[in-house]
Amino acid sequence: METSALMSEQHVEPVVVSNKKVWAGRILSGLSVAFLLFDSIGKLMMVPQVLEGSEQLGYPVSSVRGIGLVLLASVVTYMIPRTSVLGAILLTGFLGGAVATHVRVDNPLFSHVLFPVYVAAMIWGGLLLRDERLRALLPLRK
């Protein structure tokens, strides 16, 4: 009985986050969202340059619209605060596929292969800076 009383009396102090961190997180998230929205819309609109690039990477034109739809759904999921962590997970998987694609076609490491990794770092970094739930789950040490 005493243990449960102690557990219910525990008080957790809220984490105070500077306004600068939140804004930095919003900016990182916004940049990654802008890039990924641009990419998904190009795929959905079947822009000739996007189709050509997809073919060079080994994807048939018939799959481009579906890839764009999956990307758009993942980005929208990331943009909704309640589902942002799920969206980040979905986008990480999507971007991992992009890394694998660039490795498969032997593209340059820093400009092509690692570019999706940079975007994923911006997605997670932005989310970590702006989402208190994620900071509580993954606390950074000083």
Side-chain angles (χ1 to χ4, degrees):
M1 185 77 139
E2 220 172 282
T3 306
S4 62
L6 286 175
M7 289 175 62
S8 64
E9 290 178 15
Q10 288 180 347
H11 178 69
V12 178
E13 291 293 322
V15 177
V16 178
V17 180
S18 76
N19 207 18
K20 290 179 184 179
K21 280 186 181 180
V22 172
W23 274 103
R26 289 176 181 164
I27 290 168
L28 281 174
S29 294
L31 288 171
S32 57
V33 163
F35 172 75
L36 294 171
L37 280 177
F38 181 77
D39 187 28
S40 66
I41 291 168
K43 287 174 175 30
L44 291 172
M45 294 180 62
M46 305 291 278
V47 174
Q49 293 86 349
V50 173
L51 297 178
E52 182 181 319
S54 296
E55 283 183 315
Q56 288 174 355
L57 293 173
Y59 291 102
V61 171
S62 61
S63 68
V64 172
R65 189 167 275 139
I67 293 169
L69 190 59
V70 168
L71 178 56
L72 181 61
S74 300
V75 171
V76 169
T77 303
Y78 177 72
M79 291 170 55
I80 299 169
R82 293 185 122 189
T83 60
S84 59
V85 172
L86 173 60
I89 292 167
L90 294 172
L91 289 169
T92 302
F94 183 88
L95 293 167
V99 168
T101 297
H102 288 293
V103 167
R104 184 180 53 78
V105 297
D106 201 29
N107 276 336
L109 179 65
F110 293 104
S111 62
H112 289 68
V113 174
L114 291 179
F115 186 77
V117 175
Y118 307 148
V119 175
M122 288 174 42
I123 287 168
W124 282 102
L127 189 56
L128 187 63
L129 288 170
R130 67 183 170 88
D131 190 329
E132 188 176 321
R133 300 171 302 163
L134 190 57
R135 282 191 306 277
L137 182 64
L138 302 170
L140 297 177
R141 299 189 189 266
K142 292 183 180 183

